[in-house]
């Protein structure tokens, strides 16, 4: 793979950071107008808060320097180890998963950077960066290696413990993760129940001393075995209520990987360096996280939203890897007496990857902004001891959490599906060479495929988002208010953008009128495609007003126009299906 700084050498990604993102807004939301964490450092002299910024300029410089360091490490270290980590596959022997030395070495090097706990709270010794910056982190990490990106993203699930755990759990578990001494895994899926979490059978039994014991089996658990000598903590969804009791009978438990049996690992198409385990619980000791009965409705929702945003960011992250590898190859590969980049059909394939990559970036970073608009405020209210009912009534939480619950499944759908398409285009650019294991693009294609499946398949996200769109786009719906606010930022929207909106409104009305649920579900993906591409087109055209450098502005104008035309054509096709299949 190309070896350089994956932040500073990516001109478009730098443009996002320097000009497109409104960091003042993000910083004021995450740090608070009073910069609470810095005030705490002044009051307590607690070293965990030492890096907390005292003003907007300090926060901006901290964020930028962190991305520069991350880009250097992943661009020059992780990227160069990715092929070996992929080819020297994991081995399983007598309940133990054996990792390639390259994976262990790169993990230990990453610990030394101090960037491991990027989203874990400062209370637990992490960096507590806003979701907007975390999205940048994932995009850079996924470009270098999807498997290793998964490892570090899962570790940052410790934020759930630092948010909902007791002080003892925060100190014992989240703090260890922030230092890289423990990994985390999300143990939800069971052999007979994939996304149907309401039906899980794993049982947690409360003991006389107040502790719990768990019995059951979980499957497809990424990083459930830990990594080498570094163990994992499994955030395990188990039933504390009666069988068939639905969501209210489920709770989340913290379980040490040392206390479970790893029954085996999957042999997979891709992400070879990431262990996917079958975990057996046999009267296994466990600690409850938070309260009984809120496992699915509160804690699992927090885990899956975090992981889904990470999965969404992995789409443009992996696409950046594909684009830059293909750009280099197309300039070097000579056919018919010239580099293949000079062949118009090949040039169009490269341009398509680039504009789709930046559209995904726009959508992911907007989703992260929406999360930042309420989540830090919500966590502060929780830490103040306000009960859930009062927090839910808070106007900021109420509005922005509703928008986030719509954008998150849309972002996950779009980033994973379009990211895989970009990887497929990458293989095509390489031709026959791309179908061999001689070049990194074949691994990128294999690795991209899982993104449409884990953290909820694309079909699950279509189902979630469809209801949210149909409800949210009612006359006074919050989604309509949000989209109106985006539209208000454009003084002269293009004809292609306006055409998309007209088609989107018509599709919504037709789908609302369909009585048969089966027909509606079959057509729903067409609505999702229209919505994600319309919002992305809005964001693309809005971004043009923020770019100051003339050369970059000229390039973006061309890319934006082509993307919006593509999206208008796709919207017409989707609308045609809805009108004629309804």
């Amino acid at each position: 793979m190309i070896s350089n700084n994956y932040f500073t050498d990516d001109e478009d990604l730098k443009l996002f950071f320097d000009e497109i993102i409104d960091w003042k807004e993000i910083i004021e939301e995450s740090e608070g107008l009073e910069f609470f964490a810095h005030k705490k450092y002044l009051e307590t002299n607690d070293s965990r808060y030492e890096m907390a910024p005292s003003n907007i300029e300090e926060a901006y410089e901290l964020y930028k320097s962190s991305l520069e360091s991350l880009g250097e490490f992943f661009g020059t270290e992780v990227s160069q180890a990715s092929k070996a980590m992929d080819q020297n596959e994991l081995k399983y022997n007598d309940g133990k998963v054996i990792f390639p030395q390259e994976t262990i070495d790169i993990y230990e090097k990453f610990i030394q950077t101090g960037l491991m706990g990027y989203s874990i709270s400062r209370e637990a010794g992490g960096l507590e960066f806003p979701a907007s910056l975390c999205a940048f982190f994932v995009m850079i990490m996924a470009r270098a290696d999807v498997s290793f990106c998964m490892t570090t993203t899962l570790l940052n699930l410790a934020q759930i413990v630092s948010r909902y755990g007791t002080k003892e759990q925060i100190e014992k578990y989240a703090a260890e993760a922030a230092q890289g001494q423990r990994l985390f895994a999300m143990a939800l899926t069971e052999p007979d129940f994939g996304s149907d979490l309401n039906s899980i059978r794993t049982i947690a039994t409360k003991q006389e001393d107040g502790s719990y014991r768990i019995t059951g089996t979980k499957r497809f658990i990424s990083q459930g075995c830990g990594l080498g000598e570094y163990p994992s903590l499994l955030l395990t969804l188990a039933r504390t209520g009666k069988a068939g009791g639905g969501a209210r009978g489920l709770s989340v438990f913290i379980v040490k990987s040392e206390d479970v049996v790893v029954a085996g690992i999957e042999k997979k198409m891709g992400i070879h360096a990431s262990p996917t385990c079958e975990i057996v619980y046999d009267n296994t000791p466990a600690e409850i996280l938070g309260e009984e009965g809120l496992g699915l409705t509160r804690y699992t929702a927090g885990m899956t939203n975090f992981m889904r945003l990470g999965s969404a960011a992995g789409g443009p992250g992996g696409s950046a890897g594909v684009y830059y590898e293909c750009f280099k190859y197309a300039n070097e590969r000579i056919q018919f007496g010239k580099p293949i980049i000079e062949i118009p059909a090949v040039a169009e394939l490269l341009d398509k990857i680039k504009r789709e990559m930046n559209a995904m970036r726009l959508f992911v970073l907007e989703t992260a902004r929406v999360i930042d608009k309420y989540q830090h405020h919500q966590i502060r209210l929780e830490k103040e001891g306000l009960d859930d009912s009062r927090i839910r009534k808070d106007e900021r939480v109420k509005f922005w959490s509703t928008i986030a619950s719509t954008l998150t499944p849309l972002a996950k759908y779009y980033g994973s599906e379009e990211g895989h398409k970009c990887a497929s285009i990458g293989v095509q650019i390489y031709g026959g060479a791309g179908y061999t294991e001689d070049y990194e693009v074949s691994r990128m294609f294999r690795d991209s495929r899982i993104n449409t499946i884990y953290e909820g398949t694309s079909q699950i996200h279509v189902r979630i988002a469809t209801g949210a769109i149909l409800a949210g786009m009612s006359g006074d719906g919050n989604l309509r208010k949000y989209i109106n606010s985006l539209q208000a930022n454009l003084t002269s929207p293009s004809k292609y953008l306006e055409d998309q909106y007209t088609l989107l409104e018509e599709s919504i009305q037709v789908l609302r009128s369909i009585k048969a649920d089966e027909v509606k579900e079959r057509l729903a993906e067409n609505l999702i495609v229209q919505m994600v591409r319309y919002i992305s087109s809005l964001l693309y055209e809005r971004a043009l007003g923020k770019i100051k450098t003339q050369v970059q502005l000229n390039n973006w104008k061309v890319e934006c126009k082509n993307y919006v035309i593509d999206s208008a054509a796709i919207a017409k096709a989707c609308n045609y299906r809805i009108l004629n299949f309804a």
Side-chain angles (χ1 to χ4, degrees):
M1 290 185 72
I2 293 168
S3 177
N4 61 26
N5 189 306
Y6 282 3
F7 176 63
T8 60
D9 290 351
D10 186 330
E11 291 299 326
D12 281 324
L13 196 59
K14 278 201 309 175
L15 182 69
F16 273 91
F17 186 90
D18 292 336
E19 298 180 19
I20 294 176
I21 301 298
D22 182 355
W23 286 112
K24 181 177 182 294
E25 176 189 33
I26 302 300
I27 291 164
E28 287 179 347
E29 294 288 353
S30 60
E31 301 293 343
L33 294 174
E34 299 180 24
F35 290 87
F36 299 109
H38 179 72
K39 284 181 67 176
K40 185 157 189 173
Y41 173 67
L42 295 178
E43 293 166 1
T44 64
N45 204 33
D46 186 337
S47 61
R48 290 182 176 179
Y49 295 87
E50 187 174 5
M51 290 180 64
S54 62
N55 55 54
I56 290 170
E57 291 73 22
E58 278 188 14
Y60 179 85
E61 290 304 322
L62 172 63
Y63 296 174
K64 190 168 187 176
S65 63
S66 297
L67 288 178
E68 289 169 351
S69 297
L70 185 83
E72 183 68 19
F73 179 74
F74 273 80
T76 62
E77 297 275 357
V78 178
S79 66
Q80 304 311 294
S82 60
K83 188 170 187 177
M85 290 191 291
D86 178 71
Q87 294 182 346
N88 301 334
E89 292 190 22
L90 302 162
K91 296 179 175 60
Y92 174 80
N93 183 32
D94 194 25
K96 187 174 178 61
V97 180
I98 302 164
F99 285 77
Q101 190 60 43
E102 292 88 352
T103 304
I104 296 171
D105 289 346
I106 209 72
Y107 181 78
E108 291 179 338
K109 285 182 181 180
F110 191 32
I111 291 174
Q112 299 306 313
T113 66
L115 297 169
M116 187 79 80
Y118 57 85
S119 71
I120 301 173
S121 71
R122 295 185 179 106
E123 180 186 6
L127 294 167
E128 202 173 334
F129 285 149
S132 298
L133 192 65
C134 294
F136 274 91
F137 264 61
V138 175
M139 287 190 283
I140 289 170
M141 294 189 297
R143 175 182 168 183
D145 187 83
V146 172
S147 293
F148 193 69
C149 176
M150 279 187 64
T151 298
T152 55
T153 304
L154 282 163
L155 178 144
N156 278 271
L157 278 173
Q159 64 162 288
I160 301 299
V161 174
S162 63
R163 181 173 179 178
Y164 296 115
T166 64
K167 288 184 178 180
E168 292 76 15
Q169 288 171 336
I170 293 170
E171 194 59 42
K172 185 169 29 170
Y173 302 132
E176 284 189 353
Q179 300 304 312
Q181 298 308 303
R182 270 195 183 273
L183 293 95
F184 266 70
M186 193 164 57
L188 310 180
T189 307
E190 296 188 0
D192 295 324
F193 304 102
S195 298
D196 183 11
L197 299 180
N198 282 312
S199 300
I200 68 169
R201 295 175 179 170
T202 298
I203 298 296
T205 305
K206 193 170 187 177
Q207 309 298 299
E208 289 184 3
D209 63 359
S211 65
Y212 290 82
R213 295 272 174 170
I214 293 182
T215 299
T217 302
K218 298 288 183 179
R219 194 180 180 196
F220 300 134
I221 309 306
S222 300
Q223 213 64 54
C225 57
L227 195 159
E229 298 303 314
Y230 299 90
S232 267
L233 289 167
L234 292 89
L235 294 172
T236 303
L237 189 64
R239 189 165 297 285
T240 45
K242 295 180 180 179
R248 295 296 297 179
L250 296 170
S251 304
V252 168
F253 296 87
I254 302 170
V255 179
K256 296 178 180 178
S257 62
E258 306 97 298
D259 294 333
V260 299
V261 175
V262 180
I265 58 174
E266 306 293 338
K267 190 172 180 63
K268 307 186 296 293
M269 177 193 300
I271 54 168
H272 291 160
S274 174
T276 306
C277 308
E278 181 167 330
I279 304 292
V280 176
Y281 301 76
D282 185 8
N283 203 34
T284 301
E287 291 184 33
I288 194 166
L289 177 68
E291 302 174 38
E292 269 198 20
L294 299 180
L296 190 57
T297 56
R298 183 188 294 177
Y299 313 124
T300 299
M303 286 189 279
T304 53
N305 283 339
F306 170 73
M307 292 302 294
R308 284 168 181 171
L309 180 62
S311 181
S319 297
V322 171
Y323 174 75
Y324 286 108
E325 295 295 326
C326 287
F327 184 82
K328 180 175 183 291
Y329 181 81
N331 275 281
E332 295 172 349
R333 174 65 169 161
I334 306 298
Q335 289 282 280
F336 309 108
K338 59 186 176 184
I340 63 171
I341 198 170
E342 295 180 16
I343 299 172
V346 175
E348 169 56 20
L349 292 178
L350 274 166
D351 290 345
K352 182 173 177 59
I353 295 174
K354 192 168 186 287
R355 61 181 180 259
E356 292 291 342
M357 171 186 75
N358 282 330
M360 284 185 276
R361 285 171 168 175
L362 285 162
F363 201 102
V364 166
L365 289 167
E366 174 64 10
T367 302
R369 180 189 78 90
V370 167
I371 291 171
D372 283 327
K373 288 290 288 183
Y374 79 94
Q375 185 168 265
H376 311 282
H377 174 63
Q378 181 179 6
I379 291 172
R380 284 192 282 268
L381 295 178
E382 290 169 354
K383 294 294 183 181
E384 289 172 9
L386 268 69
D387 60 63
D388 277 357
S389 61
R390 289 181 62 189
I391 294 173
R392 284 195 298 271
K393 291 176 184 176
D394 182 274
E395 287 302 318
R396 195 192 317 184
V397 172
K398 189 176 179 180
F399 179 80
W400 289 109
S401 65
T402 300
I403 303 305
S405 67
T406 304
L407 293 191
T408 303
L410 289 173
K412 201 285 185 179
Y413 169 85
Y414 184 42
S416 61
E417 290 289 338
E418 204 60 44
H420 182 57
K421 290 176 186 175
C422 287
S424 181
I425 293 171
V427 172
Q428 193 70 22
I429 290 171
Y430 274 75
Y435 201 67
T436 72
E437 292 293 332
D438 295 339
Y439 293 92
E440 301 285 355
V441 71
S442 63
R443 173 181 56 79
M444 293 174 177
F445 176 75
R446 288 187 284 105
D447 286 353
S448 72
R449 187 63 182 88
I450 188 59
N451 211 10
T452 67
I453 298 171
Y454 66 5
E455 312 310 334
T457 65
S458 294
Q459 290 66 42
I460 292 292
H461 289 286
V462 166
R463 190 173 188 179
I464 294 169
T466 300
I469 291 170
L470 294 179
M473 289 296 286
S474 61
D476 61 348
N478 284 338
L479 181 59
R480 183 173 294 280
K481 291 175 184 175
Y482 163 73
I483 286 178
N484 288 345
S485 71
L486 294 182
Q487 292 169 334
N489 289 319
L490 290 179
T491 54
S492 54
S494 69
K495 171 188 180 300
Y496 314 109
L497 186 64
E498 292 179 336
D499 286 349
Q500 283 186 67
Y501 190 63
T502 301
L503 291 164
L504 175 63
E505 289 279 32
E506 185 177 29
S507 294
I508 289 171
Q509 293 306 316
V510 172
L511 277 175
R512 279 204 185 112
S513 69
I514 297 173
K515 303 300 182 185
D517 289 341
E518 181 182 342
V519 176
K520 188 179 292 186
E521 287 190 22
R522 284 178 178 270
L523 292 171
E525 189 170 6
N526 294 284
L527 175 66
I528 301 309
V529 171
Q530 284 185 259
M531 181 59 82
V532 295
R533 296 193 76 92
Y534 175 67
I535 293 176
S536 297
S537 297
L538 263 174
L539 297 171
Y540 231 136
E541 293 198 0
R542 185 180 71 171
L544 297 180
K546 299 183 178 183
I547 300 172
K548 303 183 178 91
T549 308
Q550 193 61 46
V551 173
Q552 286 182 305
L553 179 58
N554 291 340
N555 291 336
W556 268 63
K557 280 182 177 179
V558 173
E559 291 168 10
C560 176
K561 182 179 179 180
N562 290 339
Y563 179 83
V564 178
I565 290 173
D566 279 349
S567 297
I570 291 168
K572 183 65 176 175
C574 290
N575 176 262
Y576 189 87
R577 293 188 199 102
I578 290 172
L579 292 181
N580 290 283
F581 287 147

